[in-house]
Amino acid sequence: MTEKLIQNLLKRKLFIILILGMLVVSGIFSYLVIPKQHFPVVVYPIASVTVIYPGASASDMEELVAKKIEKAVMDLDGFDHTESHSYANACGVSVVLDMDLSQEAVDKSFDDLRDKIEDMKDELPAGVTSVRVDTEVMDTAGMLLTVSSAAAGYDELCQRAGELRDQLEQEEGIQRIDLYGDLTSEIQVRVHTDALNRMNLSLTEIASVIVAANTNIPLGHIDLDGEKITVNTNGELESVEEIGNLIVDVSQPEGLTTRLADIADIGRALPDDEPYFRYNEDPAVLLAVYYKEDLNVVSLGDSIQARLEDFRNHTRADILVSEIFSQQDEVKNSINGFVFVRK
């Protein structure tokens, strides 16, 4: 029986070659178009609720906030359990659903969670300043990029990083891009102590002069030997020079004027209390690129590389765009290792 089958197949060599050719072509086609991700999409039925309540103790956060949230979410469809952590001024509540839920069911429950938290805001203490629901706590970035420079100012780095994000978001397979370290510089006024004492002026009086000028740029703070006064105003001034030209004192009877720049160092700088990134010791902005589901990461990566190259060609040479991690490279290495490694 087997011999007859083999003989019949041998008589139809052309047919066998045609079948093998079709299998080879279909295999190559599938390799090229099949979705490839190093970190495939997995349903993560976990959300977090973060509440900020300045001045509250850890016990107050637990009793007045965390327990109320835990009670409110217990009737969510697919609810499994909650975990809460309370600290002074803040608390976090993790809401965990049944691990067997579909993505559609999880999305519906998370929509209900947002509605419940929104409805219960009136039940929370009046001093609560922020309530945030995060349903993407387990997302994994498909690519990490940095925009860095030793020479360019931080404001320009942030501007270029924003431009790069706008260009990359035009790719159909990108879900979103988050920026980290995109800080806005502030104008800092550092007053000379001896000059202030000599003119018998106080730090509060200097701040009042600036407020009266109604500046419309972020001023940050005034610093005198470690003492700081934060200035938040709206108005007319547009540059460091104009702030420096503010008159802070007129001597009597001579009528001599003293400008702010005569008794203080004024300049732009990053906020002292804000974290920022460095890459190879240079100031940097980090871009985390998240991909959509069911896509070919390799093909998308090629399109992203083309956009990165175009961006580099149209940006000053001392601003560098570097890849920290790329899922495309990981997938290529995994596929090539699987296809081409032989004993």
Side-chain angles (χ1 to χ4, degrees), residues 129-194:
T129 59
S130 173
V131 180
R132 177 183 176 184
V133 179
D134 187 359
T135 60
E136 298 177 343
V137 295
M138 302 297 286
D139 270 7
T140 302
M143 177 177 284
L144 295 177
L145 304 168
T146 60
V147 178
S148 62
S149 176
Y154 210 88
D155 286 341
E156 183 172 1
L157 278 184
C158 295
Q159 180 182 349
R160 300 305 175 209
E163 293 172 355
L164 178 58
R165 176 189 58 188
D166 294 341
Q167 290 189 24
L168 294 180
E169 284 182 339
Q170 297 177 29
E171 288 292 333
E172 190 172 336
I174 290 180
Q175 183 181 49
R176 74 178 195 278
I177 299 176
D178 294 339
L179 294 185
Y180 297 94
D182 55 327
L183 306 178
T184 300
S185 64
E186 64 182 17
I187 293 179
Q188 296 183 352
V189 180
R190 300 187 181 275
V191 182
H192 303 155
T193 308
D194 55 346

Side-chain angles (χ1 to χ4, degrees), residues 42-47 73-82 94-107 109-110:
V42 179
V43 177
Y44 292 112
I46 303 173
V73 302
M74 289 181 64
D75 60 347
L76 287 173
D77 290 341
F79 174 81
D80 190 288
H81 68 278
T82 59
S94 295
V95 181
V96 183
L97 305 179
D98 191 328
M99 292 293 176
D100 294 329
L101 292 179
S102 65
Q103 185 66 63
E104 183 179 356
V106 169
D107 291 342
S109 292
F110 282 168

Side-chain angles (χ1 to χ4, degrees), residues 17-299:
I17 293 174
L18 180 61
I19 294 297
L20 290 176
M22 292 175 61
L23 290 174
V24 170
V25 171
S26 62
I28 294 174
F29 177 78
S30 298
Y31 171 78
L32 294 174
V33 303
I34 192 172
K36 309 176 187 73
Q37 293 194 42
H38 198 62
F39 303 108
V41 177
V42 179
V43 177
Y44 292 112
I46 303 173
S48 67
V49 182
T50 305
V51 180
I52 306 299
Y53 182 9
S57 64
S59 59
D60 287 340
M61 292 301 304
E62 181 179 3
E63 292 296 325
L64 302 177
V65 178
K67 287 186 176 180
K68 288 184 177 181
I69 293 175
E70 290 180 312
K71 183 178 180 180
V73 302
M74 289 181 64
D75 60 347
L76 287 173
D77 290 341
F79 174 81
D80 190 288
H81 68 278
T82 59
E83 297 178 6
S84 66
H85 300 276
S86 298
Y87 312 92
N89 306 312
C91 74
V93 179
S94 295
V95 181
V96 183
L97 305 179
D98 191 328
M99 292 293 176
D100 294 329
L101 292 179
S102 65
Q103 185 66 63
E104 183 179 356
V106 169
D107 291 342
K108 182 179 182 303
S109 292
F110 282 168
D111 287 340
D112 294 340
L113 171 63
R114 295 186 188 92
D115 292 339
K116 286 181 178 295
I117 298 301
E118 185 65 30
D119 292 341
M120 70 170 299
K121 283 184 178 180
D122 292 338
E123 302 175 22
L124 298 178
V128 169
T129 59
S130 173
V131 180
R132 177 183 176 184
V133 179
D134 187 359
T135 60
E136 298 177 343
V137 295
M138 302 297 286
D139 270 7
T140 302
M143 177 177 284
L144 295 177
L145 304 168
T146 60
V147 178
S148 62
S149 176
Y154 210 88
D155 286 341
E156 183 172 1
L157 278 184
C158 295
Q159 180 182 349
R160 300 305 175 209
E163 293 172 355
L164 178 58
R165 176 189 58 188
D166 294 341
Q167 290 189 24
L168 294 180
E169 284 182 339
Q170 297 177 29
E171 288 292 333
E172 190 172 336
I174 290 180
Q175 183 181 49
R176 74 178 195 278
I177 299 176
D178 294 339
L179 294 185
Y180 297 94
D182 55 327
L183 306 178
T184 300
S185 64
E186 64 182 17
I187 293 179
Q188 296 183 352
V189 180
R190 300 187 181 275
V191 182
H192 303 155
T193 308
D194 55 346
L196 206 60
N197 293 334
R198 185 175 63 253
M199 299 176 63
N200 197 28
L201 292 173
S202 69
L203 198 60
T204 303
E205 289 175 305
I206 300 298
S208 298
V209 170
I210 298 175
V211 172
N214 295 325
T215 178
N216 65 357
I217 49 182
L219 270 184
H221 59 261
I222 300 176
D223 191 324
L224 175 62
D225 293 342
E227 182 183 0
K228 297 180 180 180
I229 294 182
T230 300
V231 181
N232 296 312
T233 59
N234 295 306
E236 300 292 332
L237 299 179
E238 297 180 351
S239 68
V240 172
E241 290 73 20
E242 290 184 6
I243 294 174
N245 287 329
L246 291 175
I247 296 175
V248 296
D249 185 63
V250 179
S251 63
Q252 298 294 336
E254 296 86 353
L256 299 176
T257 60
T258 301
R259 301 175 306 125
L260 183 58
D262 297 330
I263 62 170
D265 296 324
I266 307 169
R268 284 191 173 274
L270 293 178
D272 294 336
D273 55 351
E274 292 287 346
Y276 57 92
F277 290 87
R278 286 188 177 274
Y279 181 69
N280 290 336
E281 303 301 322
D282 296 331
V285 178
L286 178 70
L287 292 86
V289 183
Y290 295 86
Y291 298 151
K292 293 181 180 178
E293 301 177 11
D294 300 326
L295 55 84
N296 188 329
V297 171
V298 176
S299 298

